[in-house]
Amino acid sequence: MAEVDPSRLIAALADIERHVSELGWDQPARLFALVETATLLTLEPQLQERIVQTAEDALTAVEQEDFQLGGDITARLARLTWPATVTGCAIAMERAFLPPRFESLVPDDPEEAIEFVNSHEARTDVRVVVGVLRDGSRHGLARVLSSPEDLLGAEDLVPGLADALLATFKEENA
């Protein structure tokens, strides 16, 4: 199997991360459709003055403004489907993490666990932007609140979230 060049996905995720970062922290999760820029400009020619096609296979992120996360993210994403014109999708979301040494102290009750993590002095706030393409490509970017100048990235940065995003491209008749 030929290796897929991840550069267009990474470029789209970097654009999303830059856009979300401009609005600061403490934002809700935000979902984006990734559409080939050429396709988008064909379908929506009025956007030609606002969107620049930087490469032949460039992707443009289109925010899904009616998206509300709430509850179990995997279950919420499992209910989504995309039209054929959507090449991929991405999500930007913030999470608080504790070092592994505190995991045994986290309460089992989800509400209590959230309160425990959010009020813990060792917590780390992270914004992740994870995206996938229909061909199975995946990548994630992360920015830590305490080190905002650093942008981390990896193919499997948040594998469970990437899997949930890929599942949104399931075949309707499968």
Side-chain angles (χ1 to χ4, degrees), residues 14 78 97 109 129 134 142 144 147-148:
F97 294 96
D109 177 76
V129 180
R134 283 184 188 268
V144 179
S147 298

Side-chain angles (χ1 to χ4, degrees), residues 8-45:
R8 73 182 188 148
L9 176 58
I10 294 169
L13 297 179
D15 284 345
I16 292 169
E17 201 286 328
R18 195 171 19 258
H19 169 71
V20 172
S21 288
E22 289 173 356
L23 301 172
W25 287 84
D26 298 323
Q27 296 181 52
R30 298 167 72 179
L31 182 69
F32 299 84
L34 300 177
V35 181
E36 291 186 357
T37 305
T39 300
L40 182 62
L41 293 176
T42 298
L43 294 171
E44 304 285 344

Side-chain angles (χ1 to χ4, degrees), residues 81-108:
T81 58
W82 300 101
T85 53
V86 174
T87 302
C89 64
I91 193 165
M93 57 192 303
E94 298 173 9
R95 288 293 180 253
F97 294 96
L98 288 179
R101 69 181 181 271
F102 296 109
E103 284 180 18
S104 65
L105 303 175
V106 177
D108 290 333

